[in-house]
Amino acid sequence: MKNIITIFIIAISLSVYPQSKKAYLKQNRLDVEKSDFKFPQTDFNIIGFGAYHGSAKTYDAELQLIKSLKKQNALDYYIPETSFSQAFFFQKYLETADEELLKKLVLAFQTIVNQEGTIETFEHWKSLRLLNESHKDNPIKVIGFDVVNEYYFPIKHILYLTENIENWKLKEELRAKLSEKNFDFSISNKETTQLLKNLITDYNMNKNLYVYKIKDTVSFNHILKNINYNFEESRDREKIIVDNYIYLKDIYHLETRKQFAKYGFFHLEKEREQNYPSFFTRLIEQNVYKRDKVITVIGYLTKSEVLWDKIYDKQKNYKTYTVEKGYGIGDYWREYFKGIKNLKKTKLSDITLYKLNEENSPYNSGTDLKTVKLFLKRSNSSVLKGKATTDYIDYAILIRNSKNQIPIEEMK
C-alpha cells in the first residue's frame, strides 16, 4: 500500500512539476556521429530534413540520417529541392556517375537554393551514389516536385523525350540553344521564353503529329505544365509543389514508399505560420497523409559559418564569395532561436539528434526552437501564439563547428 501511495505522489508531482527541458533532452538524444547511430522512427510516409542553407556539416547530418534509414529499409525516394527535370537528371547521375553532368546540375540547383551551388553539394551526390552502390537491389530513387526556376534541364529533358521526332523545327531551335556556350537559361530570358511558348503552342495544336513518338507523354505533359506556370502573372510556389506531389503520387505509388525530403525548414513545418501553409502543412491539411506519418527534422547551427553570397562581375563571371557566422546561423546575440541554449548544454557531439515529440515532452507546450529572438526588433512570437514546438517539428539536430560551403566555381 505504501508503494502505491509513493508511485501516486510521484505521478502527481510529475504532472504538476513537468520534467525540465534539459533533463528531457538528455533522455531523448542520440549521437549522430557514432557508427551505430540509428534513427528512432521508421513508421512514416515522408520525412523531411532542413536547416539554414550554406553550412557544410548540414550535409554530414543529412547523409547520416539517410544511411540510417536505408539500413533500416525505410527509404525509397529522395526528394531534393528541385524541379521534376533536375531530379530526373540527378537520377541519371546516380546511374552513370557522369561528373560533368553533376557539375551542371549543381549550378542549376542554385537557381532555387542559391547558397548550395557548391562543392559540398557536388560531394553529397557522390556520397549518395556510393550508398546506392551498396544497395543495388533497392537503390534510392530521385524525384522532384518544385517549380521550374531555370530552363536548361527542362529543355534537355524535352529533347530526350522527343528524340524520336524528326523534322520538328521548334525542337531543333531549342537544341541549338542548348549547344550555345554561356547561353542564358534563366526564366527571365525573353528569347528562351518565346521559344518554349512557341513549342508548347505547336504541340497543343498538333498533338497527333507528335504524341505517339514521345517516349513518356506523362512526363512530357508534366514538364510543359510546369513551364506554363512561369508564363502566368504570378505563381504560388508551395501550391505548385503540392499540386505536383499529388499528381505524381499515384503515378509513382508514393503512398507505399518511404520518402526523404531535403528542403529549407519553412517548407517542412507541419503547422501554418502567418496563415500561409507550407509543403508539409498542405500534405496534412489536404489529407494526403496523416499528421503522425509526416515527420519533420530541423537542424540548428551553433559556432558555425554559412556561405552567404557569390560575387559576380558585370559580365556575370564568378569572382569570389562571402561568409556569415553571425546573422544567418540562428545563434547570434542579435538573432537566435529561443531555447537553443538547452541543445547546446546537452550536446553529445558536433551533430546531436533530439526527439522532441514524446508524449511527456515539455516541447508539447511553448515555442522553443520556433520563436526567433531579435535585438531591438519584434520576434515572431505573436504569430506563434497558442502553438507549440511539436505542432511544427518532431526532431531537432544541433550542428556544431561547421565550416561554410564553398562555391563549386572554386573546384580545382
Side-chain angles (χ1 to χ4, degrees), residues 165-410:
I165 301 176
E166 298 177 355
N167 303 317
W168 191 1
K169 181 175 178 290
L170 295 171
K171 185 191 81 167
E172 295 308 318
E173 288 177 359
L174 288 177
R175 187 191 305 280
K177 295 304 175 188
L178 212 64
S179 302
E180 279 188 32
K181 189 176 182 181
N182 300 322
F183 186 78
D184 179 10
F185 286 98
S186 68
I187 61 174
S188 61
N189 185 301
K190 292 181 180 179
E191 182 181 3
T192 317
T193 298
Q194 192 58 54
L195 286 172
L196 285 165
K197 282 183 175 180
N198 294 343
L199 181 133
I200 292 170
T201 299
D202 182 57
Y203 172 73
N204 287 331
M205 292 178 64
N206 300 288
K207 281 186 181 180
N208 60 310
L209 298 177
Y210 307 122
V211 69
Y212 69 97
K213 291 185 178 179
I214 293 172
K215 290 181 180 179
D216 176 356
T217 54
V218 171
S219 293
F220 185 78
N221 289 323
H222 184 66
I223 295 164
L224 299 194
K225 178 180 73 174
N226 276 268
I227 291 173
N228 267 322
Y229 288 134
N230 292 344
F231 305 154
E232 297 174 1
E233 188 172 331
S234 63
R235 65 181 191 184
D236 184 333
R237 184 181 171 196
E238 298 300 302
K239 182 179 186 303
I240 290 170
I241 292 170
V242 174
D243 286 351
N244 284 338
Y245 185 94
I246 291 171
Y247 174 71
L248 294 171
K249 173 175 168 280
D250 292 337
I251 294 169
Y252 289 89
H253 308 292
L254 296 179
E255 71 282 356
T256 64
R257 303 288 188 267
K258 303 286 189 182
Q259 306 150 59
F260 183 102
K262 168 66 180 301
Y263 259 80
F265 56 75
F266 161 73
H267 305 280
L268 307 177
E269 291 180 347
K270 296 169 64 173
E271 183 60 71
R272 290 178 179 232
E273 188 171 339
Q274 295 185 329
N275 205 37
Y276 182 72
S278 69
F279 173 20
F280 271 24
T281 298
R282 291 171 192 255
L283 290 180
I284 295 165
E285 290 183 353
Q286 295 182 35
N287 297 314
V288 178
Y289 298 121
K290 293 181 179 178
R291 183 181 182 83
D292 63 349
K293 302 301 182 187
V294 177
I295 303 299
T296 294
V297 184
I298 297 300
Y300 296 87
L301 302 173
T302 185
K303 294 184 180 295
S304 296
E305 300 177 344
V306 295
L307 170 65
W308 198 247
D309 271 321
K310 291 184 179 183
I311 308 299
Y312 299 87
D313 64 20
K314 291 181 180 180
Q315 288 71 44
K316 299 184 180 180
N317 297 310
Y318 169 80
K319 301 299 290 183
T320 187
Y321 64 97
T322 61
V323 172
E324 277 288 348
K325 54 183 177 181
Y327 278 121
I329 73 163
D331 184 28
Y332 180 51
W333 68 274
R334 296 174 65 185
E335 177 204 43
Y336 63 92
F337 284 101
K338 177 187 174 186
I340 194 173
K341 64 181 180 181
N342 291 318
L343 303 186
K344 291 156 67 175
K345 288 177 180 178
T346 56
K347 68 184 183 302
L348 291 170
S349 69
D350 279 356
I351 308 177
T352 304
L353 175 74
Y354 300 90
K355 190 176 194 296
L356 305 180
N357 61 1
E358 292 286 2
E359 285 187 16
N360 67 334
S361 173
Y363 291 93
N364 291 332
S365 63
T367 55
D368 276 19
L369 305 178
K370 269 299 299 169
T371 296
V372 178
K373 295 287 190 177
L374 300 168
F375 180 66
L376 298 181
K377 293 182 181 179
R378 181 180 293 182
S379 76
N380 62 339
S381 58
S382 61
V383 301
L384 301 174
K385 190 175 181 180
K387 303 296 183 182
T389 304
T390 51
D391 290 335
Y392 293 90
I393 68 175
D394 299 289
Y395 292 82
I397 292 183
L398 184 69
I399 300 170
R400 188 171 178 270
N401 294 326
S402 177
K403 295 295 185 183
N404 56 279
Q405 293 184 41
I406 305 293
I408 196 166
E409 289 90 344
E410 300 280 341

Side-chain angles (χ1 to χ4, degrees), residues 20-35:
S20 75
K21 289 186 174 73
K22 282 204 301 184
Y24 173 85
L25 291 171
K26 285 181 179 179
Q27 292 177 9
N28 292 277
R29 61 185 176 173
L30 290 166
D31 186 347
V32 177
E33 294 188 300
K34 288 185 71 174
S35 59

Side-chain angles (χ1 to χ4, degrees), residues 51-110:
Y52 278 135
H53 297 302
S55 160
K57 275 191 181 176
T58 300
Y59 275 129
D60 296 340
E62 179 187 346
L63 188 61
Q64 293 310 311
L65 293 176
I66 289 172
K67 283 182 175 178
S68 174
L69 292 170
K70 195 61 185 169
K71 190 174 183 179
Q72 297 178 72
N73 197 30
L75 178 55
D76 300 299
Y77 275 97
Y78 180 62
I79 305 170
E81 200 165 344
T82 68
S83 68
F84 181 73
S85 293
Q86 288 173 346
F88 175 84
F89 285 103
F90 271 121
Q91 178 68 44
K92 288 292 184 185
Y93 163 73
L94 294 182
E95 295 167 0
T96 64
D98 182 346
E99 293 192 0
E100 284 300 313
L101 172 63
L102 179 59
K103 189 171 183 179
K104 289 178 181 177
L105 282 161
V106 171
L107 287 167
F109 180 54
Q110 71 183 355

